[in-house]
Amino acid sequence: MEKILDGKALAKKIRENLKNEVLELNRKNIFPKLAVIMIGNDASSAIYVKNKSKVAEEIGIKYEEHLLAENTKMDELLNLINELNNSKDIHGILVQSPIPNGLDINEAIKAISPTKDVDGFHPINVGKLALNQDCFVSCTPYGIIKLLEEYNISVEGKHAVVVGRSNIVGKPMMLALLNKNATVTVCHSKTKNLPEITKQADILICAIGKSKFITKEMVKTNAVVIDVGINRGEDGKVTGDVDFEGVYEKASYITPVPGGIGPMTIAMLMNNVVKATKSM
Ligand code: NDP
């Protein structure tokens, strides 16, 4: 049986569908547009932003990049967000993380109109997710749910263990799984006896940011293993949070890095831009 959850292939399919949806909107003279704000010169961010622009272009989503200097002031950033909120041409806004010290990312996210918050990070959208209401869902957890659905992997009644509790991955993942009736455990750096907990997981989702941290000893036989991690080694090679070679034998399904959750995340971002456009 094929064990690989092919995020790359599903993301391609989603992009194809979105392309048609965008053409449909274009016929009605509606042109979905995403505005991306990047501040400073973070090398990883520059790669992510470039990938997003490439995918937007492929789908036919218009793309506007705002590159701000490292020493940008908070009120300048808030003014720009406000301008974009008020622009009828812009349907989605995101601020690429990390932003320089001295700027408050929470304030920036809060300033984005919840109806244009295609990253799903605004407190209103996170709150709605907690209440299981229609909202913009954070793109990585949303992509993971879509990938599980594609392979008919039901999460209902399963024990899902999420390792990592960040606002952008771990916490919304917990909520999205709970909304699908999984029994969810969330682990983090203060968790005691982590392997004892991960070994109980029917579905194990790892978003830690530590290369090959999850080894086969930490995984139950036949578990579904989702690797969110993107860890760039000194050699430039990208690895996940899971020791893929070791865990592959034990898992029933596993996502590769690269080619798993990364492409799904960008596809779901574009999905959210189209959703935002349709609801304007
Ligand atoms: P953060 O650094 O914000 O969060 C990491 C989480 O892992 C924290 O909750 C932290 O715990 C926990 N953690 C760290 N060390 C341990 C440990 N030894 N044991 C248990 N838990 C631990 O990272 P993100 O959530 O932003 O990202 C996680 C990874 O996913 C990164 O590699 C990132 O690059 C990648 N990523 C990939 C995406 C994709 O598209 N594929 C999208 C977003 C992120 P604590 O809260 O206690 O500090």
Side-chain angles (χ1 to χ4, degrees):
M1 193 185 81
E2 180 53 80
K3 288 187 176 190
I4 301 280
L5 296 173
D6 191 344
K8 197 172 164 191
L10 177 57
K12 185 160 183 264
K13 203 159 96 180
I14 292 171
R15 294 198 304 268
E16 289 299 324
N17 290 338
L18 287 173
K19 213 187 240 178
N20 290 328
E21 284 190 53
V22 169
L23 281 174
E24 194 66 31
L25 286 165
N26 291 166
R27 273 184 221 114
K28 296 179 195 155
N29 252 337
I30 301 169
F31 299 91
K33 190 167 184 184
L34 170 65
V36 173
I37 302 173
M38 189 174 128
I39 311 148
N41 309 308
D42 185 77
S44 297
S45 294
I47 298 174
Y48 295 140
V49 165
K50 187 145 186 269
N51 284 343
K52 286 170 190 172
S53 76
K54 263 169 46 189
V55 174
E57 190 186 358
E58 175 199 333
I59 295 172
I61 290 175
K62 289 176 181 281
Y63 184 88
E64 184 176 291
E65 210 166 85
H66 295 265
L67 297 176
L68 305 186
E70 187 85 27
N71 61 358
T72 297
K73 300 269 182 310
M74 196 64 206
D75 58 349
E76 293 172 79
L77 174 59
L78 294 178
N79 283 342
L80 172 60
I81 292 172
N82 197 33
E83 241 173 65
L84 297 170
N85 280 341
N86 291 328
S87 164
K88 288 204 166 47
D89 295 339
I90 302 287
H91 304 92
I93 304 168
L94 70 85
V95 178
Q96 183 66 44
S97 273
I99 64 177
N101 295 335
L103 294 178
D104 185 340
I105 187 68
N106 292 327
E107 276 304 306
I109 289 169
K110 213 167 72 185
I112 297 172
S113 163
T115 59
K116 296 189 178 186
D117 167 41
V118 285
D119 260 341
F121 295 165
H122 191 285
I124 294 264
N125 283 313
V126 180
K128 284 185 172 180
L129 182 63
L131 298 171
N132 200 6
Q133 295 173 3
D134 182 46
C135 63
F136 290 113
V137 181
S138 173
C139 305
T140 302
Y142 193 14
I144 292 170
I145 295 290
K146 286 285 161 206
L147 190 58
L148 292 170
E149 283 175 0
E150 175 75 5
Y151 285 83
N152 293 316
I153 299 168
S154 165
V155 303
E156 183 160 313
K158 304 267 176 66
H159 186 191
V161 174
V162 181
V163 192
R165 58 171 165 180
S166 70
N167 291 343
I168 65 167
V169 187
K171 279 184 206 160
M173 189 73 249
M174 165 191 82
L175 294 169
L177 288 163
L178 196 58
N179 290 343
K180 301 218 63 107
N181 296 322
T183 301
V184 189
T185 303
V186 183
C187 302
H188 46 80
S189 69
K190 308 288 186 293
T191 298
K192 296 210 163 59
N193 302 325
L194 183 67
E196 292 307 315
I197 300 169
T198 55
K199 261 195 291 194
Q200 294 172 30
D202 302 311
I203 299 170
L204 179 60
I205 298 178
C206 312
I208 317 164
K210 293 203 157 94
S211 179
K212 303 186 182 182
F213 180 85
I214 301 286
T215 57
K216 64 171 187 263
E217 292 76 22
M218 298 169 79
V219 176
K220 181 163 95 173
T221 302
N222 287 332
V224 175
V225 180
I226 307 288
D227 190 352
V228 179
I230 300 178
N231 307 294
R232 221 170 284 275
E234 275 168 18
D235 54 358
K237 234 184 118 188
V238 171
T239 52
D241 289 343
V242 175
D243 175 23
F244 184 88
E245 281 72 29
V247 173
Y248 181 85
E249 293 306 321
K250 258 185 140 175
S252 59
Y253 286 103
I254 186 165
T255 60
V257 177
I261 302 308
M264 285 302 297
T265 297
I266 301 189
M268 298 328 289
L269 171 67
M270 301 306 155
N271 178 82
N272 283 351
V273 176
V274 172
K275 179 182 160 94
T277 309
K278 284 179 171 171
S279 42
M280 249 175 99

